[in-house]
Amino acid sequence: MDPKEYELEYFRTNKFYRKQCPICKRYFRTQDENTEICGEPPCGEYKFIGNSPMNKSMNLHEMREFYLKFFEENGHKRINRYPITARWRDDVFFTQASIYDFQPHVLNETVEPPANPLTISQTCVRFNDIDNVGKTGRHFTMFEMLAHHVFNKTAKFIYFKDRTVELCNTLLTERLGIKPKHITYVEAEWEGGGNAGPCFEVIVDGIELATLVFMMYKDVSDNNGNVKRELMDMQVVDTGYGLERFVWMSQGKENAYECIFPDVLKFLKDKAGIKSDDYQSKILAEYSRVAGNFNVESNRDLNILREEAAKRIGISVDELNNVVFPYENLYAVADHTRALMFLLNDGVVPSNTKAGYFARLLVRRTIRALKNLNLGIPLAEIVEKQIDTFKNEFPDVNENRVEILNLVDIEEKKYVETLKEGKNIVSRLVKQVEKEKRNIETDDLILLYDTYGLNPEIVKEFLGDNEKSEISIPDDFYIRVAKAHEKENKGNVEKENSDSNLNSEGIPDTELLYYEDSEIFEFDAKILKILNLDKGKTYIILDKTYFYPEGGGQECDMGFIGNLRVSEVQKKGKIVGHEVEGNIENLKENQVVHCKVDKERRGQLTTHHTATHIINACARNLLGNHIYQSGAHKSVDMARLDITHYALLTDDELQKLEQDANEIVTSANNIEISFMERNNAESKYGFRLYQGGAVPGKFIRVIKISDDKGNLVDAEACGGTHFNNTGDVGIIKLTGQKRIQDGVLRLEFVAGKKAMEYITNNEKILKKSSATFSVEISKLPKTCERFFDEWKGLRKENKELKNIVCEILKENLKGKEAVRLQTDYLDANEITDIAKNLRNFVIVNFKNKILVSDLDLINLSVKDLKIIRDVKGEKGNFKVYVFGNEGAEGVKTLIKQ
């Protein structure tokens, strides 16, 4: 980066010196003429531990308020945090920095920022350093990024480099009382996401307290693929101040964890019988100082860290480990439970996939740390302590208290169940690797963790002293698995279905009239383009259309363009293509044609889509705020809604859900459909708007359902077709449920006309069943129970008869090589059971081809061998031969007869 980028009038006016650090060779600014090094480790080390340079000690909440108030006093508007789950984006699961809040829509100038300039304390979560949490004194999984942001445009330029540095320096020196000699501004370069710019790393007494980024440039590729940098139209001030580090420095304690989690740590220490003293604090403080000079990326790094710390203190490594090890686990528990609280509060359901994976990762690492401490505390009890700590500043965590604790409790119980099966799972793996003549590898450990939740340490315990099954646990194991899951597709957005060959280049945008008036089903339009694509597909592109294209989980409209049947409608960008069937010769480009939408099909699709919103709202109200739409599909015949939930619903829950949904229908509530500016919609309804995933654009289409008193029932950003009143849905009938993946429940349903057809069909089945049993419909349940009990009794008797048959067959085998079992009165399962009891058997079909045989005791050369579950056919369509130990040849002879 050009050195001129770092030359500021503020530095000149306030007598800052530009120096080059003799150790790292980087340039930095300081107001102290005697400062010779940049101060950032390893060039310097933490000087503030035991000797804070700040004029006041503050806790987490006090420091947050102090910072935000300072920037409010300096012309910035305070805005609320965004969720820790980045639902407005389709490229990441979590908010990892405050700038994430404004990507992509503010930075690409699709929307205006919520305020300009603004200040925020943004909850963030990162898993790239999870193995270091608790060990280095400074690493956290979840943290708060204090920030002030400015979005400068040519027409409205607010401030940039000079004012940013001035505000930072004023905060540090005048408000927090830090003397200038403790502060350096290290010149650096930032880049990410195709943008770049100069930045200053703000170092105070050895630790980076803030980063001041000036996002100025964008990467642009020319026709030859060469990348060059051009100035951005928008110049962005992107700062990040570490709240936890500010608190740590203000208190000057041995590490950041003791400053951030005092109440939770006191609770854990009391339970574990750990009494902190000056000796332990001294060791932990020195440990943090040394750790500041290290990037701990492996056990080797950790061992070096501990050796260096022990050497400085003048004790053995073993003595240091005895002190440090329990604290590392205490700190991990404190960090992970805070992160877990925010993840669950913001709608994450623990699972084996996507965002839910990281919540499960936190749960299981926490349980492991508690085990290392010999603590049997329920995890929910610790999370509740976190809720009590944060409830005043974050009222939503208190509002969701019951639900958060319930999710934690359920997940802990799941892990206990997993461990019960763990030994058997590991035992099977051992047999497999021994058979393959190899050792247990890292991929095996990742599979055990991802699939069964068995962490490497547990696997090692299960293996015991089995020398053949020694394992090597990678130093960065949890970082590896976290990175693998960070690359997963969010997958909750049902993209519009666009044919990759539907080339819309040079064609004007299609006027989407189905949004303007959903009650028009016949219209005239001009043909702009006729596209003949591969596989005989023909698409017509009109200047305007009332045909709804497939998208958002809703199937497309069908109908006619002229006399050609429209079989599919797709949208690519702002162009809608209509696939037609029939002879296209009579239609020409620029011709005006009469079009007709299938009204009945549209009506049923609209019914199912509106019902989807109603069911989703009722599920959230019934089951909790963790309910989000994970996927949906609306066809003519049926619909389904996938929601984030941890278990199948009980019969009572299903009945209540259906009842609640139909109450909204019968209440004939108003449905308001409007296009809203994105910021206004998010401010009014929150990020729960994005049930179907991230929605692009400055304006978003909001479907709002209100009750008869005007209270909000549901509001979602959605592009589908909907009624204007819930009463138009008619009736909703839940038809089934299934768990389609861990943490995701699928609800299947029908609505309107299809619901009536479903109910009518079920009534026919009931009437037919009652006629068969010659009882009234109301007595069917008891009658079925009685017949079922009688069947179980007959089944028991049948089993006893089979045993008798087996004994008779054994008698008949004496002195014979083989006998044929008469099958006319037995079905396939019965014959198979008898034959298995006799051990030596072969079953052939009527063409004498073998279906089943006891492979261990007979060796017949045939190609049509199948497994037992494939035995099919009616009585008498196959033969069973039973033979003695020497009877294989006899079976061959019988088969030939």
Side-chain angles (χ1 to χ4, degrees):
M1 192 68 70
D2 189 337
K4 292 182 179 179
E5 297 284 10
Y6 305 96
E7 294 178 2
L8 307 183
E9 182 61 32
Y10 179 79
F11 285 149
R12 285 192 287 269
T13 303
N14 291 276
K15 297 182 181 180
F16 277 80
Y17 300 91
R18 185 174 190 253
K19 297 188 176 186
Q20 185 177 24
C21 178
I23 302 172
C24 68
K25 307 302 181 184
R26 295 201 298 169
Y27 288 94
F28 64 94
R29 307 283 176 147
T30 177
Q31 287 182 293
D32 178 39
E33 187 177 7
N34 296 319
T35 298
E36 297 299 330
I37 60 172
C38 68
E40 184 174 19
C43 303
E45 66 176 31
Y46 300 160
K47 298 178 181 178
F48 62 89
I49 296 178
N51 186 28
S52 172
M54 294 185 180
N55 57 15
K56 183 180 181 181
S57 175
M58 286 182 266
N59 65 30
L60 190 74
H61 306 314
E62 292 168 341
M63 184 64 78
R64 183 192 302 110
E65 182 59 28
F66 180 88
Y67 176 93
L68 295 173
K69 188 175 181 180
F70 168 79
F71 279 95
E72 281 184 312
E73 291 170 353
N74 282 275
H76 296 68
K77 182 178 179 180
R78 182 191 306 205
I79 67 170
N80 294 329
R81 76 176 183 102
Y82 282 49
I84 210 165
T85 48
R87 299 192 182 279
W88 60 96
R89 297 181 58 166
D90 59 9
D91 57 337
V92 294
F93 292 122
F94 302 116
T95 307
Q96 300 182 38
S98 57
I99 195 65
Y100 275 46
D101 302 347
F102 315 110
Q103 294 171 321
H105 305 298
V106 173
L107 266 60
N108 64 19
E109 300 187 55
T110 299
V111 301
E112 293 295 321
N116 197 14
L118 61 83
T119 187
I120 188 173
S121 182
Q122 177 58 49
T123 49
C124 303
V125 65
R126 296 178 186 174
F127 291 88
N128 57 319
D129 288 319
I130 192 168
D131 284 330
N132 288 327
V133 172
K135 298 175 182 176
T136 63
R138 68 184 186 275
H139 281 104
F140 293 87
T141 307
M142 180 265 158
F143 58 96
E144 287 185 63
M145 182 176 286
L146 300 168
H148 60 102
H149 292 283
V150 182
F151 307 93
N152 294 299
K153 297 181 183 180
T154 304
K156 187 180 181 182
F157 200 91
I158 301 171
Y159 70 77
F160 205 41
K161 297 177 187 177
D162 281 274
R163 180 59 174 161
T164 301
V165 174
E166 179 187 6
L167 287 167
C168 178
N169 210 52
T170 301
L171 174 70
L172 296 178
T173 57
E174 296 181 16
R175 296 300 180 89
L176 290 172
I178 302 174
K179 291 182 171 55
K181 67 179 182 179
H182 296 273
I183 308 168
T184 57
Y185 292 86
V186 181
E187 297 176 8
E189 182 176 347
W190 176 91
E191 61 179 15
N195 300 117
C199 74
F200 291 107
E201 295 172 357
V202 185
I203 312 299
V204 179
D205 273 1
I207 194 168
E208 184 178 349
L209 279 189
T211 305
L212 313 178
V213 175
F214 306 101
M215 202 182 297
M216 303 172 57
Y217 300 102
K218 59 183 177 181
D219 293 336
V220 180
S221 299
D222 60 22
N223 294 332
N224 298 320
N226 300 314
V227 178
K228 63 177 182 178
R229 284 180 174 169
E230 294 182 356
L231 275 174
M232 296 169 57
D233 295 331
M234 178 184 286
Q235 309 276 288
V236 180
V237 174
D238 173 21
T239 67
Y241 294 67
L243 173 58
E244 286 78 6
R245 293 186 178 190
F246 268 75
V247 175
W248 184 15
M249 179 167 287
S250 81
Q251 296 185 22
K253 289 187 178 181
E254 54 267 42
N255 55 54
Y257 312 115
E258 295 286 347
C259 304
I260 305 305
F261 308 113
D263 295 337
V264 171
L265 286 175
K266 182 180 184 305
F267 169 76
L268 292 171
K269 289 175 184 177
D270 289 345
K271 292 289 185 180
I274 296 174
K275 295 182 179 180
S276 300
D277 55 31
D278 291 342
Y279 174 70
Q280 291 177 342
S281 296
K282 177 184 176 182
I283 291 176
L284 292 171
E286 197 61 42
Y287 191 63
S288 294
R289 288 192 190 95
V290 177
N293 293 316
F294 281 83
N295 288 320
V296 182
E297 297 177 351
S298 66
N299 281 337
R300 181 177 178 275
D301 294 337
L302 188 61
N303 290 335
I304 294 174
L305 162 61
R306 288 176 173 170
E307 288 172 2
E308 180 65 23
K311 182 179 178 181
R312 283 203 194 186
I313 300 167
I315 60 175
S316 69
V317 173
D318 287 342
E319 189 176 355
L320 181 137
N321 286 339
N322 288 337
V323 172
V324 169
F325 181 74
Y327 281 95
E328 288 177 342
N329 286 280
L330 286 171
Y331 299 151
V333 170
D335 167 86
H336 290 1
T337 49
R338 176 177 68 157
L340 184 63
M341 174 189 68
F342 276 105
L343 285 183
L344 300 183
N345 179 74
D346 287 1
V348 176
V349 175
S351 70
N352 280 343
T353 60
K354 301 177 184 176
Y357 172 83
F358 296 93
R360 178 160 290 172
L361 175 67
L362 290 170
V363 169
R364 299 191 172 181
R365 279 180 59 92
T366 304
I367 293 172
R368 183 64 187 174
L370 289 171
K371 184 177 181 182
N372 289 339
L373 292 164
N374 294 316
L375 286 177
I377 310 171
L379 194 52
E381 191 173 340
I382 307 170
V383 174
E384 187 161 30
K385 293 290 181 184
Q386 297 284 14
I387 293 173
D388 290 337
T389 300
F390 286 87
K391 65 182 180 182
N392 293 330
E393 285 69 26
F394 299 89
D396 49 332
V397 300
N398 194 44
E399 292 168 8
N400 294 323
R401 176 189 294 261
V402 174
E403 187 174 349
I404 291 170
L405 299 179
N406 183 48
L407 285 169
V408 172
D409 188 51
I410 288 169
E411 188 60 21
E412 186 168 17
K413 288 177 180 176
K414 283 184 178 180
Y415 187 53
V416 171
E417 291 300 316
T418 295
L419 292 183
K420 288 180 180 178
E421 293 294 323
K423 284 189 176 181
N424 292 332
I425 293 168
V426 173
S427 178
R428 290 198 296 270
L429 175 63
V430 169
K431 289 179 181 178
Q432 178 184 331
V433 298
E434 287 180 351
K435 186 177 180 180
E436 297 172 1
K437 297 181 179 179
R438 64 178 180 86
N439 295 323
I440 294 176
E441 300 167 352
T442 299
D443 286 345
D444 298 314
L445 295 176
I446 292 175
L447 178 66
L448 288 174
Y449 188 82
D450 272 356
T451 307
Y452 304 106
L454 298 172
N455 59 47
E457 294 83 5
I458 288 289
V459 174
K460 198 166 189 177
E461 283 184 17
F462 286 157
L463 290 172
D465 298 326
N466 189 336
E467 294 181 359
K468 294 182 180 180
S469 304
E470 290 184 359
I471 62 171
S472 175
I473 303 173
D475 301 329
D476 58 348
F477 178 81
Y478 293 102
I479 293 176
R480 287 194 198 185
V481 293
K483 282 183 178 179
H485 284 266
E486 283 175 345
K487 295 176 182 177
E488 285 184 3
N489 191 330
K490 283 186 83 167
N492 60 327
V493 186
E494 303 219 21
K495 301 290 186 182
E496 62 188 33
N497 182 17
S498 68
D499 193 308
S500 59
N501 294 319
L502 188 60
N503 186 359
S504 58
E505 187 175 348
I507 302 174
D509 297 349
T510 306
E511 189 177 355
L512 309 180
L513 297 177
Y514 48 80
Y515 283 148
E516 295 184 10
D517 193 336
S518 60
E519 294 300 316
I520 293 179
F521 300 99
E522 291 193 44
F523 63 100
D524 293 330
K526 185 169 70 173
I527 298 174
L528 297 181
K529 193 77 174 177
I530 298 175
L531 300 174
N532 295 305
L533 305 182
D534 297 339
K535 299 179 182 179
K537 290 186 176 183
T538 300
Y539 282 90
I540 292 177
I541 299 176
L542 304 172
D543 64 336
K544 57 187 176 182
T545 188
Y546 282 93
F547 284 96
Y548 179 81
E550 182 175 356
Q554 179 176 325
E555 292 185 357
C556 66
D557 285 339
M558 293 183 182
F560 290 89
I561 294 178
N563 62 353
L564 298 180
R565 177 168 175 75
V566 176
S567 58
E568 190 173 8
V569 185
Q570 296 184 359
K571 185 170 180 283
K572 183 176 183 181
K574 296 182 179 181
I575 303 298
V576 176
H578 309 75
E579 184 181 352
V580 294
E581 298 174 352
N583 190 343
I584 197 74
E585 293 180 359
N586 293 329
L587 296 181
K588 306 295 181 184
E589 292 180 4
N590 295 317
Q591 177 183 344
V592 175
V593 289
H594 186 69
C595 308
K596 187 175 181 180
V597 178
D598 186 331
K599 182 178 180 180
E600 185 176 351
R601 176 181 173 84
R602 163 75 75 79
Q604 188 58 56
L605 291 170
T606 301
T607 299
H608 279 151
H609 205 142
T610 307
T612 301
H613 286 230
I614 294 171
I615 294 171
N616 194 32
C618 291
R620 181 170 59 252
N621 186 59
L622 175 65
L623 304 172
N625 284 328
H626 66 278
I627 297 295
Y628 276 85
Q629 177 180 312
S630 180
H633 183 75
K634 306 96 182 176
S635 68
V636 171
D637 294 326
M638 58 79 67
R640 65 174 185 261
L641 169 66
D642 301 337
I643 58 174
T644 51
H645 192 55
Y646 47 82
L648 289 171
L649 304 188
T650 65
D651 290 342
D652 288 343
E653 286 173 331
L654 280 171
Q655 185 177 355
K656 183 69 166 62
L657 178 58
E658 182 176 290
Q659 179 182 329
D660 291 349
N662 281 303
E663 282 184 6
I664 291 177
V665 172
T666 56
S667 296
N669 294 331
N670 181 56
I671 300 176
E672 182 182 337
I673 303 172
S674 62
F675 282 90
M676 298 183 67
E677 200 276 328
R678 175 183 292 274
N679 284 344
N680 293 338
E682 292 176 351
S683 176
K684 188 171 184 178
Y685 301 117
F687 294 95
R688 194 172 286 280
L689 275 169
Y690 305 120
Q691 289 293 312
V695 178
K698 180 176 183 178
F699 293 92
I700 58 178
R701 186 167 178 263
V702 177
I703 313 300
K704 173 188 173 185
I705 302 175
S706 303
D707 64 17
D708 54 2
K709 296 181 181 179
N711 298 316
L712 181 66
V713 174
D714 186 60
E716 297 183 25
C718 181
T721 61
H722 296 273
F723 293 125
N724 294 314
N725 191 286
T726 60
D728 293 334
V729 172
I731 187 172
I732 295 172
K733 183 66 182 175
L734 295 176
T735 60
Q737 64 167 331
K738 62 180 72 169
R739 291 184 67 189
I740 60 170
Q741 68 182 50
D742 193 26
V744 178
L745 174 66
R746 171 165 293 171
L747 298 171
E748 297 171 338
F749 62 95
V750 285
K753 181 181 177 181
K754 291 298 177 181
M756 293 305 301
E757 290 177 1
Y758 179 87
I759 293 169
T760 300
N761 185 55
N762 278 355
E763 285 180 352
K764 288 179 180 179
I765 294 171
L766 287 172
K767 288 178 180 178
K768 185 176 180 180
S769 300
S770 66
T772 300
F773 289 111
S774 298
V775 297
E776 297 176 3
I777 290 177
S778 61
K779 295 180 179 179
L780 268 177
K782 287 188 176 181
T783 302
C784 289
E785 287 178 12
R786 178 168 59 82
F787 273 88
F788 182 69
D789 290 339
E790 290 176 0
W791 173 81
K792 285 196 296 184
L794 291 172
R795 186 183 181 190
K796 182 180 179 182
E797 293 177 10
N798 192 34
K799 185 176 181 181
E800 293 172 354
L801 287 172
K802 285 178 188 176
N803 293 333
I804 294 172
V805 171
C806 288
E807 293 302 318
I808 293 172
L809 284 170
K810 287 177 182 178
E811 285 295 319
N812 290 339
L813 271 171
K814 290 181 179 179
K816 298 178 182 179
E817 290 183 332
V819 297
R820 175 179 169 183
L821 177 61
Q822 181 63 33
T823 64
D824 293 341
Y825 61 93
L826 300 172
D827 63 24
N829 291 329
E830 291 171 330
I831 293 169
T832 303
D833 287 344
I834 291 174
K836 283 195 297 184
N837 287 338
L838 291 167
R839 293 181 60 81
N840 305 350
F841 68 93
V842 60
I843 302 176
V844 301
N845 65 10
F846 63 96
K847 292 184 179 180
N848 287 336
K849 290 186 177 180
I850 290 182
L851 298 178
V852 184
S853 70
D854 188 328
L855 295 177
D856 294 328
L857 300 170
I858 184 170
N859 183 20
L860 297 174
S861 298
V862 292
K863 295 181 180 179
D864 300 300
L865 190 65
K866 297 184 179 179
I867 59 175
I868 290 175
R869 68 169 180 267
D870 287 334
V871 175
K872 305 290 183 184
E874 300 298 327
K875 294 176 182 177
N877 280 354
F878 45 81
K879 306 168 189 175
V880 177
Y881 298 97
V882 184
F883 55 94
N885 290 333
E886 306 298 331
E889 291 301 319
V891 171
K892 288 182 180 180
T893 302
L894 283 174
I895 288 176
K896 292 176 182 178
Q897 293 176 357

